[in-house]
Amino acid sequence: MFRPILFEARYNLMLKVKVDGVEIEVENGTTVLQACEIAGKEIPRFCYHERLSIAGNCRMCLVEMEKSPKPVASCAMPAAEGQVIFTNTEMVKKAREGVMEFLLINHPLDCPICDQGGECDLQDQSVNYGGRSSRYELNKRSVKEKYMGPLIKTQMNRCIHCTRCIRFAEEIAGVPDLGAINRGENMEITTFLEKTVDSELSANVIDLCPVGALTSKPYAFEARPWELTKTETIDVMDAVGSNIRVDTKGWDVKRILPRINEDINEEWISDKTRYACDGLSSNRIDQPYIKKEGKLIPCSWEEAFLKISEEFKKTANIGGLVGDMVDLETIFSLKNLLSSVSGSESVDFRQKDFYIDPSHPSNYLFNTPIAEIDNADLFLLVGANPRLEATMINARIRKNFVNKKTEVFSIGNPGDQTYKINLLGDNLSILKDIEAETNSFTDKIKKSKRPIFIIGESVLNSKQGKFVLETSKSILKKYNALSGLNTLHRNASSVGALMLGAYNTNQDVLKNEILYLIGADEVEIDNKNKFIIYQGSHGSKNTKIADVVLPGAAYTEKDSLYVNLEGRVQAAYKASFPPGDAKEDWKILRALSDVLKKPLKFNTIEQLRSKIFESFSILPEINQLPKVKTENLSIASVDTLDSKVHFTSIDYYQTNEIARSSKTMMECKTAREQLTKTGTDD
């Protein structure tokens, strides 16, 4: 994050300042605005944001200082020893009222039709500092609307030139697509070529905009904020576990917004997290189906369960496969159900082959806490593409890169990551060279105190995975830095499944005669001579080959637990109800167990969670990190692998069935494909 100060403090000294008669101590380098807030005084602002560089554009934060002949902009003034600051004098009030009058000169009086209404900083501050009427009698400025892609709706007559959006795009997103043209009141915020903002974080500028100049295009005119029910929950579009708020009207999800969590996503979320939610109402499975004469026919729950029961009596050769967004409760329930029926816990989470070593949690965890990425002094990416695999992790790396100039190296070319990549090469044998200290990168590690290795799923396959993991461990152990070993999982269910033991060492689940799929949409299945049960929220290619289809609940429609890539257990909460006859997944499995006369030993979600935590002590308490010691990691010897880094292609906006069902995500996909078609490309 950009420190919002004018200078870096040379010494870590404390300063004494007085705010409205109250003496406080603040760190050297603190701004006057920050000092006022420490003293409990609310300072109005429009351009200032604590995570962005200081612009000093709006002047709304004016305060009075002793011995100063005029008010000063508190956001841009460093605190100094002995300063006497006043925030509520007549001078301050008059100055802020003057600023507000200027801001409203060109601002249209369209609050009743503005989507920002009820959540608008300008609207709120005008109540405190706005006059009863305007003295401005000339024509208001008129600004042509700008095209910024399928997510951002513009109404640039409302723009007050705070430049928050420009600073976010350049400093946080790392995609300087937004800028300003002209000067003075004729200044306009725009994309330089009137194109889509090419960033997976682009829609965060909507939250940052203090007026209604930038609003949400998919959400336009859908609802007013006071009509919405707000539920704090967890995102499952990737493995990061960003904290979000789901806003519903009735039982329809209208929008998703970020929640502040300094340990994970700060106050940002990815565009997919924010906008894939319109896929929740499309392509839904809302009742059970049974295949008859090659066609799926609607049926009752009793008929579906009876069919499954008949097939289970024929064989004990039963396997389960869980998909990308399956919660802990469902994974645990499926394991126990199949164990009670077949005597085997043949359940796996891997829809594609990739290597894991479950002998110790650190082999598959992102061992560096996400917040500690800020303090790293060296990065090495091995077959990782954090921009597309874990957008919020990438934002953290960029934050470190910008603030501390930390070098980022990579084996394999991941493409543009929004920061400079030093490419070591594309052959995995480079890792052996680093281990043998014959590569110049070794000198970087020797000087590093907090190195971070990030291993992508692309290389964790059957051919490259073991070599990459074991060699990375060997290198880091040599320099007592095993805590810097990090696996970059893509899916919300992966780490939770590993902690619950939902994996088969030989990955032979698909060889079973009966397959129980829960949200497993990415796997290719040969359904010949197999009986397939598909349980999930959305129709997919695997529903078409299934013999029985059971309607489950999506992530916003149930109370559930997820484990993010660093091993943190987080609780998601029910914001809406599943459609039709759809049920929560663990409840379906519990009801099925009764029909099979193998009842699971829990009836409520509280009892279920108690069983989970009793059975798996590795799971930490909710919102806590697991207590694992990387120094206990064993390292296997491997032969040098002389092959190029393998990168699997990632269709960022189409990574799961919810995203593929989303109209907005399809529009984003199309817009990105058209980005290169500027007329000047070869």
Side-chain angles (χ1 to χ4, degrees):
M1 147 177 118
F2 284 78
R3 291 189 66 192
I5 57 176
L6 293 180
F7 59 91
E8 292 288 339
R10 293 185 178 181
Y11 308 101
N12 189 23
L13 301 175
M14 299 300 291
L15 306 173
K16 290 184 178 180
V17 300
K18 190 176 287 186
V19 181
D20 291 340
V22 179
E23 188 174 82
I24 61 170
E25 281 193 340
V26 298
E27 290 184 7
N28 189 15
T30 302
T31 65
V32 170
L33 187 151
Q34 292 170 325
C36 292
E37 294 206 326
I38 292 171
K41 304 296 180 179
E42 184 177 348
I43 305 297
R45 82 292 301 268
F46 293 116
C47 68
Y48 174 83
H49 192 278
E50 56 272 15
R51 301 189 196 274
L52 303 176
S53 59
I54 293 172
N57 292 336
C58 73
R59 286 314 202 244
M60 198 65 202
C61 65
L62 292 172
V63 298
E64 186 178 351
M65 291 179 58
E66 193 175 70
K67 300 179 181 179
S68 176
K70 59 183 180 180
V72 299
S74 60
C75 70
M77 176 66 69
E81 180 69 29
Q83 272 181 341
V84 180
I85 306 162
F86 303 97
T87 68
N88 56 6
T89 64
E90 187 62 30
M91 177 193 284
V92 171
K93 184 175 181 295
K94 188 176 180 180
R96 292 174 182 174
E97 287 175 349
V99 171
M100 179 59 67
E101 185 174 12
F102 274 111
L103 290 176
L104 294 176
I105 278 177
N106 282 309
H107 197 81
L109 300 176
D110 59 354
C111 295
I113 63 167
C114 179
D115 264 334
Q116 195 84 349
E119 301 174 317
C120 178
D121 293 346
L122 183 65
Q123 194 177 54
D124 294 341
Q125 296 300 336
S126 66
V127 173
N128 294 324
Y129 302 105
R132 294 185 177 181
S133 61
S134 174
R135 292 178 288 175
Y136 187 74
E137 297 180 352
L138 301 177
N139 293 329
K140 290 180 179 284
R141 176 190 64 200
S142 179
V143 184
K144 181 183 176 183
E145 303 312 328
K146 314 298 182 184
Y147 175 76
M148 296 186 183
L151 303 180
I152 305 170
K153 183 176 184 287
T154 66
Q155 192 72 39
M156 304 313 290
N157 287 332
R158 301 169 184 160
C159 181
I160 61 171
H161 302 162
C162 71
T163 69
R164 280 186 180 183
C165 54
I166 296 175
R167 285 174 283 149
F168 174 84
E170 184 173 345
E171 298 167 5
I172 307 297
V175 182
D177 285 349
L178 291 175
I181 57 175
N182 305 324
R183 301 182 61 142
E185 74 164 358
N186 296 317
M187 180 176 130
E188 298 180 22
I189 308 296
T190 182
T191 54
F192 295 110
L193 297 174
E194 292 274 326
K195 66 180 184 66
T196 299
V197 180
D198 187 20
S199 171
E200 295 76 25
L201 296 169
S202 65
N204 286 287
V205 300
I206 297 168
D207 299 334
L208 286 171
C209 184
V211 296
L214 304 177
T215 57
S216 173
K217 191 175 286 187
Y219 175 68
F221 309 121
E222 285 288 322
R224 288 298 194 180
W226 53 85
E227 299 176 306
L228 302 172
T229 301
K230 303 168 178 64
T231 305
E232 296 184 348
T233 184
I234 303 299
D235 172 56
V236 298
M237 291 293 133
D238 56 30
V240 177
S242 298
N243 286 220
I244 58 174
R245 193 188 83 195
V246 177
D247 289 357
T248 56
K249 185 178 181 181
W251 296 116
D252 294 330
V253 175
K254 292 297 184 182
R255 65 178 182 179
I256 289 177
L257 298 175
R259 275 194 299 130
I260 296 177
N261 188 320
E262 299 295 347
D263 293 332
I264 302 176
N265 58 300
E266 298 183 293
E267 61 184 88
W268 321 119
I269 54 174
S270 71
D271 291 347
K272 183 165 57 177
T273 295
R274 188 186 296 266
Y275 285 118
C277 60
D278 64 336
L280 291 167
S281 59
S282 303
N283 195 30
R284 292 301 301 266
I285 306 171
D286 59 1
Q287 64 184 100
Y289 292 85
I290 290 179
K291 183 167 286 183
K292 294 181 180 179
E293 297 178 358
K295 294 183 179 180
L296 288 171
I297 307 297
C299 66
S300 66
W301 280 103
E302 291 77 10
E303 290 175 295
F305 285 169
L306 183 60
K307 180 66 175 176
I308 294 171
S309 178
E310 291 173 353
E311 294 296 327
F312 275 25
K313 291 175 182 177
K314 296 177 182 178
T315 179
N317 194 0
I318 308 169
L321 191 64
V322 296
D324 299 348
M325 298 178 285
V326 180
D327 52 87
L328 286 187
E329 293 90 343
T330 303
I331 296 170
F332 182 84
S333 300
L334 181 63
K335 279 190 68 190
N336 278 264
L337 177 66
L338 297 191
S339 177
S340 65
V341 173
S342 67
S344 169
E345 295 185 349
S346 183
V347 177
D348 211 318
F349 72 96
R350 290 169 290 179
Q351 299 184 70
K352 298 176 182 177
D353 290 345
F354 74 93
Y355 175 79
I356 58 166
D357 179 0
S359 62
H360 192 282
S362 291
N363 284 319
Y364 56 78
L365 286 177
F366 199 93
N367 292 292
T368 303
I370 294 173
E372 287 300 309
I373 294 175
D374 298 350
N375 300 320
D377 55 10
L378 182 68
F379 292 97
L380 176 64
L381 310 180
V382 186
N385 185 350
R387 179 173 178 178
L388 300 184
E389 292 179 286
T391 303
M392 301 318 305
I393 297 293
N394 197 65
R396 287 276 191 175
I397 298 173
R398 173 169 172 79
K399 174 182 171 183
N400 184 307
F401 173 82
V402 171
N403 289 344
K404 299 185 175 182
K405 313 301 179 187
T406 302
E407 291 183 292
V408 183
F409 293 82
S410 179
I411 299 176
N413 188 359
D416 181 19
Q417 297 296 299
T418 71
Y419 41 81
K420 182 183 176 183
I421 295 285
N422 299 291
L423 188 61
L424 295 177
D426 62 358
N427 197 301
L428 288 174
S429 63
I430 295 170
L431 278 173
K432 272 296 182 184
D433 295 338
I434 296 171
E435 184 185 28
E437 301 186 12
T438 58
N439 189 289
S440 58
F441 182 73
T442 306
D443 297 331
K444 300 285 185 181
I445 302 180
K446 288 179 178 179
K447 295 176 182 178
S448 172
K449 295 181 179 179
R450 291 179 295 276
I452 286 181
F453 282 28
I454 299 177
I455 303 170
E457 275 197 17
S458 289
V459 296
L460 291 176
N461 58 56
S462 55
K463 295 180 180 179
Q464 301 182 328
K466 185 174 183 178
F467 170 80
V468 170
L469 180 64
E470 299 300 332
T471 309
S472 297
K473 287 193 300 186
S474 177
I475 295 169
L476 289 168
K477 187 174 184 177
K478 185 181 293 186
Y479 303 103
N480 298 313
L482 275 171
S483 60
L485 178 71
N486 300 286
T487 299
L488 192 65
H489 292 277
R490 297 178 185 175
N491 304 323
S493 62
S494 296
V495 175
L498 281 161
M499 285 185 165
L500 296 189
Y503 54 83
N504 285 19
T505 307
N506 55 2
Q507 293 185 256
D508 60 353
V509 167
L510 297 182
K511 297 178 182 178
N512 288 282
E513 295 176 27
I514 298 178
L515 291 179
Y516 202 126
L517 311 179
I518 300 185
D521 307 308
E522 313 303 320
V523 65
E524 298 290 339
I525 297 176
D526 182 3
N527 62 324
K528 291 181 180 178
N529 303 318
K530 284 185 173 61
F531 183 83
I532 297 174
I533 306 155
Y534 182 89
Q535 180 177 319
S537 60
H538 287 69
S540 74
K541 61 184 179 183
N542 287 335
T543 60
K544 298 175 183 178
I545 64 171
D547 297 283
V548 177
V549 177
L550 305 177
Y555 71 105
T556 59
E557 300 162 356
K558 56 187 175 182
D559 294 327
S560 50
L561 297 177
Y562 292 92
V563 184
N564 77 344
L565 49 72
E566 55 182 350
R568 188 190 303 269
V569 179
Q570 298 187 101
Y573 295 99
K574 188 175 190 175
S576 60
F577 280 97
D581 290 333
K583 309 292 181 185
E584 296 178 35
D585 292 300
W586 75 266
K587 291 183 178 179
I588 296 173
L589 295 166
R590 177 62 183 85
L592 177 59
S593 72
D594 283 339
V595 176
L596 298 173
K597 298 184 174 14
K598 300 285 186 179
L600 297 174
K601 298 178 180 179
F602 48 81
N603 295 308
T604 66
I605 194 167
E606 290 78 18
Q607 293 173 351
L608 171 54
R609 288 178 177 177
S610 179
K611 290 281 185 186
I612 293 172
F613 284 98
E614 286 174 9
S615 304
F616 298 95
S617 58
I618 185 177
L619 290 170
E621 294 181 8
I622 292 176
N623 293 326
Q624 300 298 313
L625 291 173
K627 297 177 181 178
V628 296
K629 296 181 179 180
T630 54
E631 57 265 28
N632 296 332
L633 276 174
S634 61
I635 301 173
S637 60
V638 288
D639 296 328
T640 301
L641 186 64
D642 187 14
S643 68
K644 289 186 177 181
V645 173
H646 170 71
F647 280 97
T648 54
S649 62
I650 302 172
D651 192 348
Y652 177 76
Y653 296 108
Q654 305 283 285
T655 52
N656 56 63
E657 276 306 319
I658 294 177
R660 286 190 285 269
S661 300
S662 166
K663 178 184 175 185
T664 305
M665 291 295 97
M666 181 55 69
E667 290 175 351
C668 289
K669 173 182 167 69
T670 303
R672 171 160 287 184
E673 290 171 350
Q674 294 174 345
L675 271 176
T676 57
K677 300 176 182 178
T678 62
T680 60
D681 303 317
D682 296 332

